[in-house]
Amino acid sequence: MKLIDGKKVSEEIYNDLKIKVEQLKQQGQKVPHLAAVLVGNNPASQTYVNAKVKTCHEVGYGSTLIKLDENITEEDLLKEIYDLNNNPEIDGFIVQLPLPKHINENKVIEAIRPSKDVDGFHPVNLGRMMLNQPAFIPATPMGIMKLLEAAKIETQGKHCVVIGRSHIVGSPMSILMAKNSYPGNCTVTLCHSKTKNIEEFTKQADIIILAIGKPYFLKKEMIKEGVVVIDVGINRVTSTTTKSGFKLAGDADFDDIVSKCSHITPVPGGVGPMTIASLMYNTLLASQKNIYK
Ligand code: GUN
């Protein structure tokens, strides 16, 4: 069994990005600048956004954090997005999800200019991705592709079972794994909450990508020997062994399945670190006008 070390791969990406930033500075050019919009006080969203801003500092990017009140009107939020779209200092920006219930998430995402949509959530970017055109690829699926590549996982002709159909992870992941490229060329099955007898699919899988948010969901009876498991789950569970009384658990029951896996990503330290690394990479692409000329 081999652990796929996302922390290590993400650090390699950051080292490359730091070198690029230094080169830009030496050439007297502007460094990439990412803005993040945070609406309200969702603790998980606050943690994620703070981590994104901190990483900008670490790699030498500019960053802007826009914190908005939970009760902001949709109209005022759309005005903020309009300003970011038209601010030449900002190369790319994200609006952290979820948004408060009174705001229409689709309307907000569609208001982001596709050339600044470094999350890759805009329909134009998702459509371009489908059509193999230059596009921003959502950060978590892109991070998983980079992990599979770094671990030299064979994917052609393999059966990849993706569990979870979110717009952020599962759906784009299923599209990427079926593409005629490497990683890719898989036969893909997309399972979700209404799938019957899910173990019939997971038992056939050569690669399982888990993104359902259920701690310890995948057990050893559900997999075959030699499977590759990519675990996107970041679940807070109670623990008697940590000071805080909590720890992070994946969607896979790591201790139960590890001996049957050829490769597995740990939680934490697997997919998680790759998400922010991919966002930083997309921000560089945005600043270099690599996707939208
Ligand atoms: N909420 C959970 N994941 C993400 C993400 O990757 N981007 C944004 N904007 N919101 C999220």
Side-chain angles (χ1 to χ4, degrees):
M1 185 286 303
K2 284 200 180 128
L3 269 189
I4 304 181
D5 187 344
K7 186 132 193 0
K8 181 162 163 264
V9 180
S10 70
E11 274 160 11
E12 287 164 8
I13 294 173
Y14 292 138
N15 285 338
D16 288 347
L17 294 177
K18 282 180 198 166
I19 291 168
K20 186 72 199 168
V21 167
E22 276 313 310
Q23 284 171 349
L24 289 170
K25 278 188 185 163
Q26 275 170 17
Q27 293 160 2
Q29 292 188 43
K30 178 183 169 304
V31 297
H33 192 124
L34 174 72
V37 178
L38 175 65
V39 183
N41 309 308
N42 179 320
S45 293
Q46 281 175 339
T47 306
Y48 291 137
V49 166
N50 289 338
K52 290 170 188 178
V53 170
K54 185 165 162 255
T55 308
C56 281
H57 290 280
E58 283 166 7
V59 294
Y61 287 9
S63 68
T64 300
L65 173 56
I66 301 173
K67 285 188 179 178
L68 301 170
D69 191 87
E70 179 85 27
N71 298 316
I72 188 170
T73 64
E74 189 176 280
E75 194 186 347
D76 285 348
L77 176 56
L78 292 172
K79 172 77 175 53
E80 291 285 347
I81 291 171
Y82 177 89
D83 290 345
L84 289 167
N85 282 339
N86 292 299
N87 182 344
E89 267 305 299
I90 308 287
D91 296 300
F93 66 97
I94 62 149
V95 178
Q96 189 66 26
L97 304 178
L99 289 169
K101 293 264 177 301
H102 66 280
I103 293 174
N104 181 332
E105 242 167 50
N106 285 334
K107 217 167 160 181
V108 169
I109 290 169
E110 285 194 43
I112 299 171
R113 184 177 293 167
S115 61
K116 293 195 175 189
D117 169 39
V118 283
D119 257 335
F121 293 168
H122 191 285
V124 165
N125 278 313
L126 290 170
R128 282 174 161 233
M129 180 185 77
M130 281 277 302
L131 299 169
N132 294 329
Q133 293 173 5
F136 289 114
I137 308 295
T140 302
M142 189 209 255
I144 292 171
M145 298 300 269
K146 286 185 187 292
L147 276 185
L148 292 170
E149 195 178 355
K152 300 188 169 65
I153 303 294
E154 247 184 72
T155 58
Q156 182 162 316
K158 303 289 181 190
H159 185 186
C160 175
V161 172
V162 179
I163 310 184
R165 58 179 158 186
S166 73
H167 295 159
I168 294 181
V169 186
S171 293
M173 200 68 240
S174 66
I175 291 164
L176 292 172
M177 291 304 280
K179 274 187 188 291
N180 185 2
S181 57
Y182 176 78
N185 278 316
C186 284
T187 303
V188 177
T189 302
L190 181 58
C191 297
H192 48 75
S193 56
K194 303 290 189 298
T195 301
K196 289 187 180 145
N197 303 324
I198 201 163
E199 63 284 357
E200 284 179 15
F201 299 100
T202 54
K203 269 184 203 161
Q204 289 178 30
D206 303 304
I207 301 167
I208 300 177
I209 300 175
L210 279 163
I212 43 169
K214 286 189 187 168
Y216 310 121
F217 173 80
L218 192 73
K219 306 279 186 194
K220 68 169 178 293
E221 305 75 47
M222 300 168 70
I223 58 175
K224 71 178 182 190
E225 197 73 45
V227 65
V228 175
V229 173
I230 306 291
D231 190 347
V232 185
I234 303 180
N235 306 290
R236 228 164 85 109
V237 295
T238 52
S239 165
T240 51
T241 56
T242 59
K243 225 168 154 191
S244 64
F246 292 98
K247 66 173 182 178
L248 291 181
D251 291 348
D253 189 337
F254 185 95
D255 293 339
D256 191 48
I257 70 170
V258 64
S259 61
K260 263 179 119 175
C261 299
S262 75
H263 295 76
I264 183 168
T265 59
V267 176
V271 175
M274 293 301 295
T275 296
I276 298 186
S278 302
L279 177 67
M280 295 297 136
Y281 183 73
N282 274 348
T283 305
L284 176 71
L285 295 181
S287 79
Q288 302 287 288
K289 313 265 180 290
N290 272 2
I291 306 282
Y292 292 85
K293 308 289 176 204

